[in-house]
Amino acid sequence: MTSTTFQHTRYVISENLVTFGAFALFLVLTLFAIFGEAIAPYDPLASNAAAALQPPSAAHWFGTDQLGRDILSRVMVATRLDLGIAVMAVALSFLVGSLLGTCAGYFGGWSDRIISRCIDTLMAFPLFVLAMGLVAALGNTVANIIYATAIINLPLYTRVVRSEILVRREAGFVEAARLTGNSEWRIMARHLFPNVLPVMMVHISLNMGWAILNAAGLSFIGLGVQPPTPEWGIMVAEGATYIVSGEWWLALFPGAVLMMAVFCFNLLGDGLRDLIDPRMRT
Amino acid sequence: MTLHQSASSTTATDTVTAQLLSVENLDVEFRTRSGTVKALEAVSFAINPGETVGIVGESGSGKSVTAFTLMGVLDRAGKVANGKALFQTDRVAVDLLREPESSLRQLRGKELSMIFQNPRTALNPIRKVGKQITDVLRCHTDLSGDALRDRAIEMLASVRIPDPEQRYDAYPYELSGGLCQRIMIAIALACAPKLLIADEPTTGLDVTTQATVMNLIKDLATQQQMAAILITHDLALASEYCDRIVVMHAGHVVESAPTHSLFRAPRHPYTAKLIAATPEPHKAFADLIPIAGNLPDLKATTIPPCRFSQRCDRYEPALCDQAPLTRQQPVPEHHVACWKPLE
Amino acid sequence: MTSLTDLPSQTVPLLQVSDLCKTFPIGKGTSLHAVDHVSFDIRPGESVGLVGESGCGKSTLIRVITRLLDVTSGTIQFDDTILSTVAVRQFPKSPHRKGIQLVFQDPTDSLNPRFTAYDTITEPIKRLEGGHNKAQLQARAAELADLVGLPQELLSRFPHQLSGGQKARVGIARAIALNPKLLVLDEPTSALDVSVQAVILHLLADLKERLGMSYLFVSHDLNVVRLLCDRILVMYLGKIIESGPVEQVFNHPRHPYTEALISAIPSFEAKPHPIPLTGEPRSPINPNPNVCRLYGRCPKGEDKCQQVMPTLKEVAPNHWAACHFHN
């Protein structure tokens, strides 16, 4: 089985250059997230007034900021925080959303009505404003950014899982599972939910990009992560004031990396679906 | 080499020109992720005006691919690699495989119609069935307004739908499967086509409904002097309603003969086995004999020349490893593609 | 296989269905009568065929019997136990769960796309017997694969990697994994090709002999039912309208519907034109209890059929028909 999985992975990646590019980029981002601090050329927090606002050069590839900190190092180190927030938020909303969606779709009736109405209520708010409100109310911590991002993503997961479960609820294999002595909970968890996963992978991946953007957006407007912590949103916000005076690199590089990360996750979705769906293996 | 060539070499040329449709040497390939599938190879057969021909075979035999190719609605992955399909219109014979899409659109629905396997998915669920009939009429006739509606109601009545006036305003979901299939037939026959291709028209229907739908197609075909191709996996059904039967196996035409001749004395081992495997009202259980083996892998680079050879108990090494030759049998009009046909 | 030893000798029914009703509410005061006062029984080792058009309620009936649906009224007795009072959600814990199993119509839809053939076949053993280690499970799966003629190397495959016939074998293997006493087969061959259908029919006949199961064989194909069954039940719009030994019903049908059904079977042999059933079936929603369900389509229909619902009468030994004109 493992050799066929490997062959299949190789096939999916080699057959589609875009997927290949997305996977490569994802690998780079993961490496930065894990080893960012070790491989960064400079200390991301060490300021050096003598080297402030230097344009990109051989010594500082992305230039330096107003305090003389190396932007490349800061961008690399920030990867862990930004990806971390996104992964945690997506994982949280995926878990809770899947549970709610599976219950709503499988049991129908009252549980469906209650869950669906709650989700509708959540969706009635402008989501980013809701996230701002939540962080402002709960306090400026990384954990609260994660909670806020998770809550505003909850409707997506709940709705997608609910509809996917709904179409499979009457399938023959569910009846068969009941005949072979599975309890209702077991049917939901072991038989129905795994079949929803391939579809969910695409959503998770798209949502990751969105969650990164959301976390960076909150930091950009001053909520959430506080300076001097290296974080893409803060770096863009701080750099934005220097664009007018000609120091474009302060905002451009963190912004470009942020964009690449979002782009990468959006492209990854299709590739992941092909990987995880056994029907795509031949 | 092929059925058609051998037929034309022995029969007079005037019968060839009288053919409504003649398919010659049709090759169709599908590109898939794991290689090219040779779905049809050297498929040849002919239909005379007013004749009902059954194309019979198991799934994967290429019978539906043949129909889709003729209608020009083949899947995008499919490609006609070779062959001709000459269709006799009022004026000229056109090659359905080479005609531009614009003129094919003129033919489809008017001279050449198709009924699909599942009437519920083939009908537009949010459009009244009467409107779906007038859509076809509007495309191909000069009728308009009330005349259009009257003609549609007339069509509904001709397919024996009770209360045609009320049913005109019905939506497909309000009708049973049998009624939906009759609507499909009404749409297909609205412009009195010369050829109807029916792809498993009764597969989802009950036996009693199947009988009424098939009798309806047969009666209308006789009335309108229409030829029909009945594509089915049900040999017994084909035997009841077809004048001639073409048996397909793995993309080859293995046998083609008038119905009575085919069932009285099948010449191809596959046809004989297919007949033996079909449950019948007076057949004992012990006489129900399964066909061993599977279809050959049509993706393989070396498909045996006779695609039945691996399942055949008459297989003889050197002889059967040549491409199967089509010979005319002693019985006229009975063609078989086999090196060792049954006597 | 243990059940080989206790072959049927007594005539105590294995399954006894009496006066069973299943209705689905579809609005205020209206309900769809899918199964309407149905009674029959199945003796140990017997094969009973259930035929009827789509929508006649046969799918509902077998889902009630296999305890996938709750009953509205009536009783189901299986092996001296009344099952109809056990709620569907509780039934997985019942000791009779493994006694009644179902083979599904569509071999693709009924296999979990993310389970290998091995997972599917061992699922009932793991859930309903438990306490097996991996080696034991593998031995059982191999034994079952042999029994249904599935090559063992295919056990590691997912459904989409199997052919239609192989999927059907996996579905059968799952159903017989725990030696059920009653196997309900829901059109097990209707999605298969003729050549494969013949193989599966032979397999089912062989399994019945080896494992001594009773079959309730549901089909719309009378030719198939005739080959495999001892007795036949004909259902029309929620009611059983004729029942009897299979050859007798085939050769001397007493109900006009059965007659039409039999005459409509396509055949190679020349035969008289099928008896047409004109018009549309009556609605199963709040049906009038005094009008024969076939009235309106029946070539014999008379005023009497509109006033009194015909009941099942024994027209010959063991041969019952519900028609005023059964002669």
Side-chain angles (χ1 to χ4, degrees), chain B residues 58-59 176 179 206-208 210 215 233 235-237 239-240 263 275 277-283 285 288 290-291, chain C residues 53-54 193-195 197-199 201-202 205 223 226-228 261 264-269 271 273-274 277 280:
Chain B
E58 297 179 88
S59 54
S176 67
L179 280 185
D206 298 307
V207 261
T208 50
Q210 167 172 284
N215 282 327
H233 65 276
L235 213 53
L237 186 74
S239 81
E240 280 198 10
F263 287 105
I275 293 173
T278 306
E280 266 246 277
H282 298 288
K283 194 184 261 178
F285 200 6
L288 187 75
I291 306 177
Chain C
E53 291 181 328
S54 54
D193 271 318
V194 194
S195 59
Q197 168 176 286
V199 184
L201 289 176
H202 278 286
N223 281 328
R226 192 184 61 89
L227 290 174
L228 219 57
L261 207 56
I265 310 172
S267 135
F268 300 145
E269 299 156 25
K271 64 176 179 59
H273 231 50
L277 286 177
E280 284 291 291

Side-chain angles (χ1 to χ4, degrees), chain B residues 6-186:
Chain B
S6 61
S8 58
S9 62
T10 50
T11 47
T13 41
D14 59 347
T15 56
V16 175
T17 51
Q19 281 162 353
L20 177 66
L21 173 74
S22 107
V23 177
E24 293 169 30
N25 264 323
L26 179 61
D27 290 355
V28 171
E29 295 175 351
F30 280 89
R31 291 184 312 270
T32 67
R33 164 189 273 217
S34 41
T36 305
V37 176
K38 290 180 179 158
L40 294 184
E41 191 179 69
V43 166
S44 303
F45 60 90
I47 315 273
N48 296 318
E51 185 184 39
T52 305
V53 174
I55 299 184
V56 177
E58 297 179 88
S59 54
S61 63
K63 52 193 197 306
S64 287
V65 174
T66 309
F68 289 146
T69 309
L70 293 179
M71 286 301 286
V73 289
L74 199 60
D75 192 84
R76 273 206 312 184
K79 187 173 130 259
V80 177
N82 187 25
K84 273 194 284 189
L86 292 175
F87 181 71
Q88 193 72 38
T89 65
D90 288 333
R91 287 146 289 149
V92 281
V94 292
D95 187 347
L96 294 176
L97 307 178
R98 278 180 187 72
E99 205 64 14
E101 178 62 25
S102 56
S103 54
L104 276 181
R105 219 173 288 144
Q106 290 294 311
L107 284 178
R108 283 201 290 259
K110 192 166 180 227
E111 309 228 6
L112 191 63
S113 262
M114 186 160 177
I115 306 177
F116 294 92
Q117 183 166 357
N118 191 337
R120 286 205 185 277
T121 52
L123 288 171
N124 185 341
I126 56 160
R127 205 159 159 72
K128 289 173 178 171
V129 293
K131 293 276 182 208
Q132 300 193 39
I133 301 177
T134 56
D135 286 344
V136 190
L137 292 169
R138 199 175 283 126
C139 286
H140 298 295
T141 64
D142 300 329
L143 297 173
S144 61
D146 280 349
L148 213 53
R149 187 189 161 91
D150 291 346
R151 177 84 183 108
I153 290 173
E154 206 178 297
M155 284 312 300
L156 288 174
S158 76
V159 292
R160 295 173 208 155
I161 288 177
D163 311 325
E165 268 109 29
Q166 277 102 60
R167 301 284 194 210
Y168 181 92
D169 291 317
Y171 289 97
Y173 73 90
E174 297 174 299
L175 304 174
S176 67
L179 280 185
C180 281
Q181 193 55 284
R182 284 187 225 181
I183 304 276
M184 278 297 298
I185 296 171

Side-chain angles (χ1 to χ4, degrees), chain C residues 94-267:
Chain C
S94 158
H96 289 291
R97 174 68 287 170
K98 54 183 181 180
I100 306 177
Q101 285 295 324
L102 175 63
V103 175
F104 288 85
Q105 174 173 16
D106 184 344
T108 307
D109 176 64
S110 63
L111 298 182
N112 192 331
R114 299 183 68 83
F115 276 29
T116 61
Y118 172 82
D119 293 335
T120 299
I121 293 174
T122 52
E123 179 78 3
I125 305 171
K126 284 189 270 189
R127 296 280 82 74
L128 292 170
E129 267 184 7
H132 292 276
N133 62 32
K134 208 172 170 204
Q136 282 172 315
L137 280 176
Q138 272 167 348
R140 285 284 289 276
E143 187 190 340
L144 285 162
D146 279 348
L147 208 54
V148 298
L150 183 75
Q152 290 191 14
E153 61 268 23
L154 300 185
L155 281 174
S156 62
R157 296 215 185 162
F158 287 101
H160 70 278
Q161 296 164 320
L162 300 170
S163 72
Q166 290 161 348
K167 280 187 271 197
R169 288 176 202 266
V170 174
I172 293 169
R174 166 176 63 192
I176 62 167
L178 297 174
N179 298 326
K181 290 180 183 159
L182 174 65
L183 192 62
V184 181
L185 301 122
D186 184 8
E187 312 221 11
T189 61
S190 70
L192 303 175
D193 271 318
V194 194
S195 59
V196 186
Q197 168 176 286
V199 184
I200 297 294
L201 289 176
H202 278 286
L203 170 68
L204 289 172
D206 183 45
L207 285 176
K208 183 172 139 35
E209 203 158 295
R210 288 168 70 176
L211 306 180
M213 295 177 281
S214 295
Y215 280 175
L216 177 59
F217 193 99
V218 180
S219 182
H220 65 269
D221 189 339
L222 286 109
N223 281 328
V224 171
V225 172
R226 192 184 61 89
L227 290 174
L228 219 57
C229 297
D230 310 316
R231 210 149 54 82
I232 188 170
L233 307 169
V234 185
M235 206 169 165
Y236 187 78
L237 277 183
K239 281 192 171 298
I240 287 177
I241 48 127
E242 184 157 2
S243 76
V246 76
E247 288 301 329
Q248 200 174 335
V249 173
F250 250 79
N251 297 330
H252 307 286
R254 297 302 188 92
H255 196 283
Y257 176 71
T258 318
E259 212 178 333
L261 207 56
I262 289 168
S263 77
I265 310 172
S267 135

Side-chain angles (χ1 to χ4, degrees), chain C residues 64-90:
Chain C
V64 172
I65 292 172
T66 51
R67 306 304 294 126
L68 289 168
L69 282 176
D70 276 318
V71 301
T72 304
S73 68
T75 53
I76 300 168
Q77 187 176 341
F78 181 75
D79 235 13
D80 303 332
T81 317
I82 304 279
L83 296 186
S84 40
T85 49
V86 184
V88 165
R89 292 225 165 143
Q90 298 304 317

Side-chain angles (χ1 to χ4, degrees), chain B residues 234-253:
Chain B
D234 189 342
L235 213 53
L237 186 74
S239 81
E240 280 198 10
Y241 295 96
C242 297
D243 305 315
R244 218 145 48 74
I245 288 177
V246 174
V247 183
M248 289 189 74
H249 175 268
H252 279 171
V253 170

